[in-house]
Amino acid sequence: MTPVTVIEAGPCRVVQVKTRDRHGYEAVQLAFGEVAERKLGKAALGHLKLAHVPPSRWLREFKKVGDAQVGQVLKADLFQRGDWVDVEGVSKGKGFQGVIKRHHYRGGPESHGSMFHRAPGSIGSSSFPSRVWKNKTLPGHMGSERVTVQRLQVVDARPEENLLFVSGAVPGATGGVVVVRKSKKG
């Protein structure tokens, strides 16, 4: 038994192919997640209609590898069983958190008389530098940031159902949008 995360991978349609001559770089723009026309603005609808692509919620650009034509459909069959992939997404937001949860501080003694339970402790000197150093681990907003999990193995790919089964956890909440790429680390 292998714990997996099921990812709906496609169908993604090629909306635009950017060239070095016209745009200054080479890329492929993909659309994913069909929606009703009324849920998009006129600019987005016009852009998608030029490519004869149905209204889609998300557009993402990727570095161009190989040939791609406008209107081409990409499915989960890009990945095979045993491939290694990197999955990029926005992690779950946790709001404002203290140093124990956010930076794994140990905290102080919990016994009677101790006034130092979950506080960060000393954060800087008074005479020099008379300020808090940059990047000091303090309480603050945690989560809701772009995270890439590298080298996850594809357990199975079902192109007819647009499903990709990846071993391990991927960033983000259930139903969140992620980007799946061939792994940089092989």
Side-chain angles (χ1 to χ4, degrees):
M1 306 246 308
T2 306
V4 296
T5 301
V6 182
I7 300 172
E8 181 185 354
C12 296
R13 290 178 170 78
V14 177
V15 177
Q16 189 177 24
V17 179
K18 303 213 172 184
T19 59
R20 192 171 302 284
D21 301 334
R22 183 156 184 210
H23 302 97
Y25 64 102
E26 291 192 347
V28 176
Q29 190 180 63
L30 301 180
F32 172 72
E34 290 186 26
V35 291
E37 270 193 37
R38 64 184 169 76
K39 293 188 176 182
L40 293 179
K42 286 184 179 180
L45 278 173
H47 180 64
L48 293 168
K49 281 183 180 175
L50 272 176
H52 303 290
V53 172
S56 304
R57 185 176 301 277
W58 296 287
L59 290 174
R60 292 288 185 274
E61 271 189 19
F62 297 93
K63 196 179 288 188
K64 186 179 175 190
V65 177
D67 289 333
Q69 287 82 32
V70 173
Q72 181 181 349
V73 179
L74 305 176
K75 295 188 176 183
D77 57 1
L78 289 173
F79 303 101
Q80 312 298 325
R81 175 180 287 189
D83 284 354
W84 295 96
V85 294
D86 295 341
V87 181
E88 176 188 308
V90 177
S91 64
K92 284 185 179 181
K94 310 253 188 284
F96 189 96
Q97 296 301 326
V99 290
I100 290 181
K101 183 168 186 176
R102 189 175 185 214
H103 299 295
H104 312 292
Y105 278 27
R106 222 176 106 239
E110 297 290 335
S111 58
H112 290 290
S114 172
M115 303 284 281
F116 175 60
H117 301 308
R118 299 180 67 89
S122 175
I123 61 170
S125 309
S126 60
S127 63
F128 176 80
S130 300
R131 62 186 170 83
V132 177
W133 290 106
K134 214 174 202 136
N135 301 322
K136 175 78 179 107
T137 52
L138 292 172
H141 188 276
M142 182 178 173
S144 195
E145 59 191 13
R146 197 159 119 183
V147 177
T148 302
V149 178
Q150 295 184 325
R151 264 183 75 79
L152 296 176
Q153 193 166 25
V154 175
V155 175
D156 193 16
R158 297 183 190 165
E160 63 281 351
E161 300 173 55
N162 298 319
L163 296 179
L164 198 61
F165 296 83
V166 177
S167 67
V170 300
T174 304
V177 178
V178 295
V179 174
V180 182
R181 293 190 171 103
K182 299 246 181 196
S183 181
K184 290 183 177 181
K185 295 184 178 177

